[in-house]
Amino acid sequence: MKKFLVLAMASMMTLSVGLLSACADPAGPGGVKPDGTISGNYKEPTRDELSAALSHIETDQVVGDTQSADWALHLGASLEAGFSFTVGEGESALTGSGKADLEAALSLEKNEDNTSADLAGLSATINEAKVTLPGDDGKPVAYSAEGGAYVDTAGTAYADLTLKGGEDELTVKGKDSLSDLLQLVGGLVPSAPMAGYSLLSEQAQDGTGEISGEASAQLFSADELLEVLAQYSVKLEMDDSEGLKFRLTASAETVATIMEEQGVEADLAFTQCNIVLYVALDESYVLQAVSLVADVEGSVAANAALMMPAVSFEANLKLSFGVEEKSSVKVPADLDSYTESIIGQLMGNQPAPGEGETL
């Protein structure tokens, strides 16, 4: 049981680092509203209107003048997610549900070497995530996690989480190096979002600290974009009254087309499938915000030939990235009380991975 709780904690920490998230301000970063939408007077553009709009968007200017010595970009990111699912039927069914809110901030700035990314903070709140599995006696056993996790600019991770599995419970409150925690869960991303991490690969640099490549180039032509959208049954709407705003709406047909292209064989049926992507640029055609809102509910029929059980699911998601004046996130005021090692509390007297028994 302790091993399961360790794995659950590790998974939650990985999720906290990998997913970015949102606050509930009246107007969030980049003008994203609490419901994930970006206000605008949207309408379907003609081909000529779309072509004129796209001609203003240049790939090397979409986040500002990156060649400027004082260029900087501060981003706020947010995620609000809820889900529930059932796999199988009866007492042997696997069920799960949860809700999480995450908030992250990232600063991109020019330094002496080149452009670098600094994690200005990350905050994750797990309101409650639950999974029910069949126990050894066939009766369902509930596992859950709730609490919070935070990362500061120095790359220190803090956690205050309660993990439960049946009658067992583990409470963890402490701190550790984020890179050490990532190594604990497999060492797959040892220090990706840490201070000083370069966003530019060697192939994207010309050795002078500048981004190499072609000069200003249009991202898409109107014909190319309309062709792709039609192929995937995506509706495009636009507002060009102040800068540019786009609203792209996908549906069940979009998902079906993607699954068919990927060769996924599943009898998937939706009772609800609304997926909307917003993109906003200011009057200088510099990116201000991107937001995705999705509400999906449906089921997958059992397939005996593929040995797939029946699945029912429901999920809602609000994911957004927006430009801010300065990157920051809210964290608990008492972080100085997080003194114990997270890894020490998780592992107890067990050896860490690589030092004996593995998880």
Side-chain angles (χ1 to χ4, degrees):
M1 182 57 61
K2 174 137 182 159
K3 183 173 290 188
F4 174 85
L5 292 172
V6 170
L7 287 171
M9 172 65 180
S11 299
M12 292 301 174
M13 291 300 300
T14 303
L15 178 65
S16 301
V17 173
L19 295 177
L20 303 181
S21 81
C23 40
D25 295 331
V32 180
K33 298 174 67 175
D35 61 2
T37 63
I38 297 177
S39 298
N41 183 24
Y42 296 99
K43 64 177 183 178
E44 292 190 59
T46 65
R47 181 201 170 281
D48 289 342
E49 289 173 336
L50 180 59
S51 181
L54 293 178
S55 68
H56 296 295
I57 304 176
E58 300 173 345
T59 56
D60 64 346
Q61 298 291 323
V62 73
V63 291
D65 184 5
T66 59
Q67 305 301 322
S68 173
D70 59 354
W71 176 83
L73 180 66
H74 303 291
L75 294 174
S78 72
L79 171 69
E80 295 180 21
F83 70 92
S84 64
F85 65 86
T86 301
V87 180
E89 300 175 345
E91 291 188 350
S92 62
L94 166 64
T95 65
S97 64
K99 185 176 181 182
D101 303 301
L102 298 100
E103 177 184 349
L106 185 70
S107 292
L108 298 155
E109 298 179 345
K110 276 292 184 73
N111 59 20
E112 293 181 356
D113 299 324
N114 209 313
T115 305
S116 68
D118 291 338
L119 183 68
L122 185 147
S123 173
T125 301
I126 303 168
N127 298 318
E128 185 176 40
K130 297 188 295 184
V131 175
T132 301
L133 301 170
D136 294 336
D137 57 0
K139 296 182 179 179
V141 178
Y143 300 91
S144 67
E146 60 182 332
Y150 319 93
V151 180
D152 63 18
T153 55
T156 302
Y158 303 83
D160 185 0
L161 297 171
T162 298
L163 309 170
K164 297 179 182 179
E167 298 180 355
D168 295 324
E169 180 175 326
L170 175 64
T171 298
V172 176
K173 181 177 181 179
K175 65 179 181 178
D176 263 308
S177 162
L178 178 60
S179 60
D180 288 346
L181 285 168
L182 289 171
Q183 289 176 18
L184 174 66
V185 297
L188 298 178
V189 192
S191 58
M194 293 304 93
Y197 173 72
S198 175
L199 287 184
L200 304 176
S201 67
E202 293 181 1
Q203 290 79 10
Q205 300 177 20
D206 61 8
T208 64
E210 301 296 340
I211 303 174
S212 60
E214 297 180 2
S216 300
Q218 187 175 317
L219 192 59
F220 296 107
S221 72
D223 288 337
E224 290 171 334
L225 182 56
L226 290 172
E227 181 181 352
V228 171
L229 295 179
Q231 178 183 350
Y232 291 97
S233 304
V234 176
K235 180 181 179 181
L236 170 67
E237 297 169 288
M238 186 179 78
D239 175 5
D240 59 358
S241 58
E242 295 182 12
L244 282 174
K245 295 178 183 178
F246 297 96
R247 182 169 66 187
L248 296 93
T249 304
S251 62
E253 288 76 17
T254 307
V255 178
T257 301
I258 294 174
M259 291 179 61
E260 183 179 353
E261 286 189 352
Q262 297 300 316
V264 178
E265 298 181 11
D267 187 4
L268 176 63
F270 287 104
T271 54
Q272 178 173 288
C273 184
N274 299 310
I275 305 171
V276 185
L277 175 68
Y278 296 86
V279 180
L281 296 91
D282 65 16
E283 293 179 337
S284 298
Y285 306 106
V286 173
L287 184 67
Q288 291 299 294
V290 177
S291 183
L292 175 69
V293 181
D295 292 293
V296 181
E297 182 178 351
S299 62
V300 179
N303 189 319
L306 299 176
M307 300 182 65
M308 290 177 53
V311 178
S312 62
F313 59 88
E314 181 177 354
N316 53 78
L317 173 76
K318 289 183 286 185
L319 173 65
S320 66
F321 298 84
V323 175
E324 298 180 301
E325 291 186 7
K326 184 177 181 180
S327 298
S328 64
V329 296
K330 296 178 181 179
V331 298
D334 64 340
L335 284 185
D336 56 354
S337 67
Y338 291 55
T339 56
E340 295 187 49
S341 165
I342 298 172
I343 295 176
Q345 294 175 72
L346 288 174
M347 301 303 298
N349 295 323
Q350 301 181 54
E355 299 179 1
E357 180 188 5
T358 56
L359 296 178

